[in-house]
Amino acid sequence: MAELPSGLLEACVVVGAPSDKLRDIYQLQQQSNLSELPLLEAEVLQVHAPPFVSKDTNPSQLIGPAFSRVQRRRSFIKKKKRDRAPEVLPNGETTNHSEASSGTEDISVPKDLDLIALPQLCFPGGLQLTNEPREDSYHFLVFTDLFGNRTHGVVVQYYRAVQSCQEGSVHNGHRWNSSKSRLYTPFAVCIISKSPYYNALKDCLSCLLVQLRPARQADFEETIKEFSAKLSLVPLPPPGQLHVSFSLRPLHVFLPSKEDQDSPLIDIDLHLPLLCFTHTTLLQVLSYLLQEQRLVFFSADWARLTLFAESLLLYLQPLSWQQPYVPVLAGGMLDFLMAPTAFLMGCHISHFEEVAAETEELILVNVDDGIIQSSWAENIDLPAIPLAAAESFMARAECLQLHYDLELCHLGAGTDVNALRSQRREWQTRLNTQIQNIALELVVNIFRDVQDFLNHEHRVFNSEEFLRTREPADLIFYKKVLETHIFHTFLRDRLNRKPDTFSRMEQNTRNRSARNRAMTESPRRPLMSDLSRTGYSSYASPSDRLSKRLGASLPNLQQPANDTGTSISSTRPASLRKMSPDVGLKSPQKVVKVFRLPEFPPPLAYHYVQNYYSDMVSSLGKAINATLPEEAALLARYHYLRGLVNTVSNRRLDALEDFQSLYKTDSDIFPSQMVKSVVDSLPEAERLQADRRPELKRLISRLKRDQERERAFNGNGQEHDSIKRFQLPKKYMHLEEFVKCVQESGIVKDQGTIHRLFDALTVGHQKQVGPELFRVFYTIWKETEAEAQEVCLPASVSEHIEPSECVFKLSSSVKTSRGVGKIAMTQRRLFLLTDGRPGYVEVAQYRDLEEVKVSSAPFLLLRIPSLKLRVQGRKETFEANLKTETELWNLMVKEMWAGRNMADQHKDPQYMQQALTNALLMDAVVGSLQSSKAIYAASKLAHFDRIKTEVPMMVPKTTAETLKHKINPSLELAAPQAVDVLLYTPGQLWVSVSVGKVMVFDASSWSLTHTCHVGNARLLSYH
């Protein structure tokens, strides 16, 4: 696991105009009253980065420990101050030290801090002097390194009078005269952090300005240094339900935590894009991001650019933007827009016409006006987000309450600023959660079906099949998205079975039948419940395109519980506003606790800092003692913070004890790299003490094992990053290659079934399957699947079918003893779909069959092959003149009959699923071989019928009477695996098999609900 960043502050940088330039301009202004003040070039004036104090140095020096990552440092050459006042000699003459004081100063800064471009970004519109003070203004920055790691900056520009900047200065023997016209210069203070705490750092800078305004220039640097040192004492909360707060006076600053290890940290107002864009325009922008277009945001407000860009990227989580990202471009950086790759950048609105005229193939987004334009055409001809997902998003977004003022109507005027801020923060947190849920549902609805076209064992995505199943109107969108880096990363996470928010919502919003079908080997077919009202037409009309897989997650759209198929109108229902916009999407809310840090000490004195750490350890100890044992997650986070404090205060053994308690409680947030650093730094005496403590000795040995396992995992990193697109074979395949190819194609996964299929396709030939034969077989399999989806069943027929049933095979129109029509095969029964006026005639349920045989029916002088079925409880035998299809249907029905009997005897429905797969494979084999040996070849797949005939598998009577339901723990695996651990919890059965896979079964329906992988290690139970 990667080390968690532990501190709020990376660096604090002050940027402004050089003092000698200010002095020169001020003199010119006093002499000639300049009508126009020039733009100046900004430069770095101060850099403050932790550590600030240590035990071994004078407290006034700038080195020592803090809540900071261990940073490699480098030199930065900064110009020295050149405005030192000349000394006045006893005889009244002055001596100028400008030569001695000019030059440069070498200071130490964090290695990955880029101070070259920072002045431009702190003043993206240029550094402009003024004759009157201006309001303070804030904006936000994002820096991205070569590896895609992001650092965040919050900048405040505030104005000081040039006279106050030159306090006490003497020039040519005369002091400054402040009675004439005043001149104001802006300074920028930029806080840089590894975490995107935009609101929190903005609050910190607001508190800093309260101190800076009355401060003299001589105290300016010291004030900022103390401010930076205080922020270096702030630890970041670990992921979970514990937040951190601290007081900077006059405000309480609040640091929210990430929801979990893989979730983004959110300290931003996510509703801002919804205030400026219509829902349609917002969806357009999200569509262009998913297609990785070249986007440029424009605004007259620099702050808006980053806030909007960050919000939109958070809307797409867990998909992650992989292209260049510079939300604020200074005027001198516009050449970045000539880059040939996809990117997301932001410019001031004043550059709009220039950028539109000089660049090509850019999508220009005017944030202020909420409009989108193109730099190459009047209309943007790019595909939109799929309509069904878009309609769902807009219906929910309509319900959002975006205006905080409406929340205040019933409240009186507040008098406590921190109480008012807390109230607003709670409202914003609720709204952010709703927006996150709605945006996540949008992503899930767009990419929900991707999972069904993955083969995890061989890391294959069957993109052609995925595209074939899309709506025609959405096809261009998916074709573009499938080629992007953002989708490739998303696909890699799906193949790695990453348990992120997408996986959880996708699983939770699937209806039960779709979930069960996705967990089994059953071939892909639409359920009767999906098609009973719209029929089997290939595609729904636009008004009805809110598909059932989306409807399952939209219970608030005024649909009956048993009718997820009702389409929604673009007109919002009147009652919708009263409902929660994310109803049906919420996960159980955990109680959030806030740990308040002690009051800051004088931050540049070592002993005061150590006392501060001691106070924090004491406060955390009290919190731990007051936490109930059942609140294990909260307890783990308190131990995390205390371990962190003990680490920076050099109480290493105490820190390891906290981390040991953390590991036992919640290993997900265990900072293994940090603990390794602590262990490696133990002096010999402390190491001996650790070895004498059993808990710490266990922790150290476990840490070593985890690191070895991680190294082994990273050694296979290329394998875990690889993604293949399924392609038909181009050469002859032996058995091993054939097994891999069939598994990659997604037809079937079970090795035993694939071996029987190989025998069937190689009957009468050498044991190899040629590329042309496999292509024909694969095509027939997919065509049969598509044909079944195009059958149209009227309501009078579908009402006889169970909601979970699918039509898997239809015969041609034949004469039968019950009329003329087509015989339909589902996983439960055979029925006749009569010709003319469509009607339903029950033929048989498989468990009621008593005999299946091939016969012949007389017709004039001919004997026509027919299939005869004798059904329990019926005197008449059902006969169908299936002609050339007779032998195939005989094999398929017998296999389904045998599978049904096996399933009933063993009380395991998976036998039925396997029998169905065998029957459909028979159909594809007969269609692909087209020879006299086709039926014989297909009989190789009659697995259960052969077992029934040759070796009856009888279940002992006592077992049959006791057994309630049999489950198959090797359901998703290519071959059966031994069960290592069984664990029953109320409502669930947990099963671990030997390949490190854990499955969770619903104890009421015994259906598989969840699967997860815990590496290749075996789980063992301890009693």
Side-chain angles (χ1 to χ4, degrees), residues 22 25-26 29-30 37 129-131 160-163 181-185:
L22 291 176
I25 293 173
Y26 184 81
Q29 188 204 35
Q30 298 300 308
L37 295 172
L129 302 180
T130 64
N131 290 319
R160 288 176 68 92
V162 171
Q163 292 88 334
S181 60
R182 298 176 71 86
L183 186 65
Y184 293 87
T185 180

Side-chain angles (χ1 to χ4, degrees), residues 558-607:
Q558 293 193 323
Q559 296 181 164
N562 61 348
D563 181 8
T564 58
T566 306
S567 64
I568 65 167
S569 167
S570 57
T571 305
R572 183 180 52 158
S575 62
L576 211 57
R577 182 177 291 277
K578 300 175 185 178
M579 301 180 184
S580 174
D582 58 346
V583 64
L585 306 178
K586 303 177 192 174
S587 56
Q589 292 295 313
K590 298 176 181 177
V591 178
V592 172
K593 297 284 186 179
V594 179
F595 176 70
R596 184 166 177 181
L597 304 182
E599 293 293 325
F600 288 118
L604 300 178
Y606 177 81
H607 65 280

Side-chain angles (χ1 to χ4, degrees), residues 447-465:
F447 299 111
R448 181 187 298 279
D449 293 339
V450 167
Q451 187 69 31
D452 296 337
F453 297 87
L454 297 179
N455 180 283
H456 293 86
E457 284 70 25
H458 302 292
R459 302 189 65 78
V460 171
F461 173 54
N462 197 332
S463 56
E464 289 187 9
E465 277 303 302

Side-chain angles (χ1 to χ4, degrees), residues 123-149:
F123 290 100
L127 194 157
Q128 179 69 62
L129 302 180
T130 64
N131 290 319
E132 294 181 352
R134 293 182 179 176
E135 282 187 338
D136 307 329
S137 67
Y138 294 80
H139 66 277
F140 310 92
L141 304 174
V142 179
F143 314 96
T144 309
D145 65 17
L146 292 174
F147 304 102
N149 302 311

Side-chain angles (χ1 to χ4, degrees), residues 756 759-763 925 929 933-941:
R756 290 189 288 273
D759 291 340
L761 290 175
T762 55
V763 164
V925 166
L929 291 180
K933 295 182 178 180
I935 296 298
Y936 172 70
S939 68
K940 298 281 187 181
L941 290 157

